[in-house]
Amino acid sequence: MLRKTLKPIYISVWCVVLLICLIPLGTIGFQSISHQDIFSLLFSPYVLRTLKMSLGLGIASLFFSLFLAIPLSYLLSRTNIPWKRPLLLVLGFPFVIPSYLFAIAWVVLALPKVGLLNRVFDDLNFNIYSFSGLVWVTCNAFLPLLTNSLSKSFDSMDPSLEEAARISGAGPFRTFLKITIPCLFPSILGTSLVFFFTVLSSFGIPAIIGNPAKLFVLTTQIFTVSKMGGLKGAEEGFVISFWLILIALLLSGIGRFLRQKYQVSLVGGKASRHSLVDLGFLKWPLFGVGISGVFLLVFLPLGALFISSLMKIPGELSWSNFSFENYLYLFRMKEGPVALINSVTLAVLGSLTCCGIGFFVAYFSQRSQIKSASILERAASIPFSIPGTVMGLAFIVSFGTGWGFQKLSFLGTPFILFVAYVAKDLAIAINHLIPALGQIDKSLDESARISGAGELAVIDKILFPLSFPALRVVFGLCALPMLTELTMSVLLYGPGTETLGTLIFQLQDYSNPQAACALASLLVVGLALVMLAFGSLSQKQK
């Protein structure tokens, strides 16, 4: 039973979730199903070609990334390789960098004829505008998704299973193949599904690398028909987005099935430290391989961004070609300060809103007895599992058209961007705040109520202060993707509402790629400083 003082808050949270999470998706679903040519459009040759390209890109990127991530994660988690922590931190840094920045970086490096690698290695003829180039950049951008998850799985696995295999005479390599990989197979499958869905949902890399090579995927095809085809094109985009929704539902069902059927207990009741595998004479050669991987995946692309940002003429390696003209250009153009202010404002306000709504959703889920609280939690988490391109279309067809009322149209305004950001990242707040509130003993609430405190006083004086560290983490986790968001923004923004993501995309594709590198470099430095600040703050509180 929900107390009277919290009923208005509960109803308000439900109204917000309905308005920003469920109604837009229901509206686009109705628009798509009611399209008279839905089946002929879904199975038209050009849509099937983009579907095939999307699936091919996802499968190729997944297999290549697993080939790199599994041995790399094992080396950094379960062996005595030197400098493991610094290597993990550096390899994880691309996790906070927008994926489209890696696309820009590899265009600088491997653009035919004028790319930096083609200038240095004249006979190799690198061409980033190819399917292999698209796969490589995708792996580079999303590899941390696999390495971070697999490293945690390796760390959490009960070491007694591997120790028993070694006592029975199995060597490290055979133990890895016969014990470690089979035990972690459910985790590998689950992480692979997330990776595959992330690749299918990505827009920046296929737009920057794939479009010039005429390699169109579902997300870029939806963007093209929606932007270029007017009202009819937007309707086609609604229908094409059905493929992404169907794939998302299928992957979600597969993941649920695998968790139920193949879940393996990796953590035993008795805590014990892992006995690290001694690499022997291979320790330093493998360390060299790790350093090479860090250079290739992090320092080379990010370094290329900085070098290119100082060039007046792309690819011209001469001292006279270096200057700060591209940075000055950013400060002279009126869109630069506007994009920075818009992105920071939207990130701060959006993150605070996610923290507030997410806190109450988590509170009702953990602290109330009403059955609909679990439904509220699931409903608020739906947009996170929907590709950003589809969510962008959903907000266009609902908030953008005003459901047929012109005065309710918010297309091209900061409001529609704000609502889209909150809806997309609300699940991040909920998924982190539910366990945080679950760890607070309910006896504290009961003691406060016995002392005469009302429900709002319990939240204000007990639950909110104790969950504040988790709220601070949630704020950072929501703010970082909002600050650099591109997939939804590129569909929803208008004149005067440019963000950092859309401005970089505009500069790269249409006007000044060197200035795009300069803005990308400033963004990378800013993200690095934010991560250092969060790291130092966490260390002080330990």
Side-chain angles (χ1 to χ4, degrees):
M1 189 74 179
L2 192 63
R3 295 178 185 269
K4 188 179 294 185
T5 54
L6 291 178
K7 277 187 178 180
I9 298 176
Y10 183 70
I11 294 171
S12 299
V13 171
W14 252 117
C15 291
V16 171
V17 170
L18 284 172
L19 185 65
I20 70 174
C21 296
L22 298 184
I23 292 178
L25 291 172
T27 305
I28 191 176
F30 175 77
Q31 291 276 358
S32 302
I33 293 172
S34 61
H35 194 281
Q36 58 182 356
D37 299 322
I38 178 171
F39 291 106
S40 61
L41 185 55
L42 275 175
F43 294 97
S44 61
Y46 84 94
V47 173
L48 291 179
R49 278 197 302 270
T50 57
L51 174 62
K52 182 180 177 181
M53 180 58 65
S54 294
L55 295 175
L57 174 63
I59 293 170
S61 302
L62 174 61
F63 276 97
F64 187 60
S65 296
L66 284 175
F67 177 77
L68 296 174
I70 291 176
L72 188 59
S73 302
Y74 183 80
L75 278 175
L76 295 175
S77 300
R78 307 298 295 276
T79 70
N80 64 338
I81 191 171
W83 291 10
K84 289 194 294 184
R85 184 170 177 78
L87 286 174
L88 274 171
L89 288 174
V90 176
L91 282 171
F93 181 60
F95 193 73
V96 302
I97 299 176
S99 60
Y100 55 86
L101 296 192
F102 284 96
I104 296 173
W106 282 101
V107 168
V108 170
L109 284 166
L111 190 67
K113 296 183 180 179
V114 297
L116 295 180
L117 290 177
N118 287 319
R119 291 278 186 170
V120 175
F121 305 101
D122 199 18
D123 298 330
L124 294 181
N125 295 321
F126 293 100
N127 182 11
I128 199 63
Y129 294 139
S130 60
F131 182 74
S132 59
L134 185 57
V135 170
W136 168 250
V137 178
T138 302
C139 293
N140 189 179
F142 298 125
L143 186 66
L145 186 66
L146 288 175
T147 54
N148 287 350
S149 178
L150 293 178
S151 295
K152 292 176 182 177
S153 297
F154 280 123
D155 288 336
S156 64
M157 182 178 171
D158 188 351
S160 62
L161 300 173
E162 295 168 308
E163 290 169 1
R166 293 194 193 103
I167 292 172
S168 300
F173 185 70
R174 189 177 180 187
T175 301
F176 175 77
L177 290 180
K178 297 293 185 180
I179 303 295
T180 308
I181 293 299
C183 287
L184 291 179
F185 188 65
S187 298
I188 294 173
L189 277 179
T191 306
S192 298
L193 291 175
V194 174
F195 180 92
F196 187 73
F197 176 72
T198 303
V199 173
L200 290 184
S201 305
S202 68
F203 169 79
I205 294 176
I208 294 172
I209 303 294
N211 282 3
K214 297 184 178 179
L215 301 171
F216 302 107
V217 297
L218 288 171
T219 53
T220 55
Q221 190 69 55
I222 292 170
F223 170 77
T224 301
V225 299
S226 301
K227 279 290 187 180
M228 306 302 178
L231 183 59
K232 183 180 178 182
E235 292 176 353
E236 287 186 15
F238 303 155
V239 176
I240 298 171
S241 66
F242 244 59
W243 280 119
L244 286 174
I245 296 174
L246 290 173
I247 293 172
L249 293 174
L250 179 62
L251 292 177
S252 177
I254 292 173
R256 207 177 300 116
F257 170 77
L258 291 173
R259 282 194 300 272
Q260 292 174 355
K261 184 159 187 169
Y262 296 106
Q263 187 65 41
V264 177
S265 178
L266 298 180
V267 182
K270 187 173 74 172
S272 58
R273 291 187 62 182
H274 293 290
S275 55
L276 298 179
V277 176
D278 186 4
L279 297 174
F281 70 93
L282 292 175
K283 179 169 69 174
W284 290 106
L286 288 174
F287 174 70
V289 172
I291 290 292
S292 301
V294 166
F295 174 78
L296 185 63
L297 297 171
V298 182
F299 290 114
L300 181 62
L302 297 185
L305 278 180
F306 287 105
I307 293 172
S308 184
S309 70
L310 298 172
M311 289 182 173
K312 292 181 284 187
I313 301 174
E316 184 66 36
L317 295 171
S318 63
W319 287 112
S320 60
N321 190 41
F322 288 93
S323 73
F324 290 97
E325 179 61 29
N326 296 315
Y327 291 93
L328 296 175
Y329 175 82
L330 291 177
F331 290 103
R332 286 197 297 264
M333 63 184 301
K334 64 178 182 179
E335 293 89 354
V338 171
L340 177 62
I341 293 171
N342 287 341
S343 289
V344 172
T345 304
L346 288 168
V348 171
L349 295 179
S351 300
L352 289 174
T353 305
C354 283
C355 287
I357 299 174
F359 178 83
F360 280 106
V361 172
Y363 172 82
F364 293 127
S365 177
Q366 289 292 312
R367 253 47 184 188
S368 72
Q369 302 296 322
I370 51 176
K371 296 179 180 179
S372 58
S374 61
I375 302 174
L376 174 64
E377 175 195 334
R378 294 190 189 97
S381 302
I382 288 174
F384 187 75
S385 61
I386 302 296
T389 307
V390 179
M391 289 303 302
L393 287 178
F395 284 104
I396 287 175
V397 77
S398 51
F399 291 95
T401 60
W403 293 286
F405 297 95
Q406 191 61 34
K407 290 183 179 180
L408 293 177
S409 175
F410 295 102
L411 187 62
T413 66
F415 176 77
I416 197 170
L417 290 169
F418 167 77
V419 171
Y421 289 1
V422 172
K424 185 67 175 171
D425 292 335
L426 184 56
I428 297 175
I430 295 171
N431 290 338
H432 281 79
L433 289 173
I434 283 179
L437 284 176
Q439 291 174 354
I440 301 174
D441 197 323
K442 292 184 179 180
S443 62
L444 298 175
D445 307 28
E446 296 167 1
S447 300
R449 292 190 194 99
I450 292 172
S451 302
E455 289 298 318
L456 293 178
V458 171
I459 293 173
D460 181 48
K461 300 297 183 183
I462 296 177
L463 297 180
F464 182 78
L466 291 176
S467 61
F468 185 75
L471 284 167
R472 189 178 62 246
V473 172
V474 166
F475 178 85
L477 290 174
C478 292
L480 284 177
M482 290 182 186
L483 187 66
T484 60
E485 210 282 329
L486 173 65
T487 307
M488 295 185 296
S489 304
V490 77
L491 287 168
L492 300 175
Y493 84 102
T497 60
E498 295 89 353
T499 62
L500 291 174
T502 60
L503 183 57
I504 291 174
F505 185 73
Q506 283 181 356
L507 291 171
Q508 175 66 24
D509 259 23
Y510 306 118
S511 56
N512 193 334
Q514 305 307 109
C517 291
L519 184 54
S521 300
L522 293 175
L523 187 57
V524 170
V525 171
L527 291 173
L529 292 175
V530 169
M531 293 301 296
L532 288 173
F534 268 98
S536 62
L537 189 63
S538 300
Q539 289 294 328
K540 286 181 181 178
Q541 293 192 346
K542 283 184 179 180

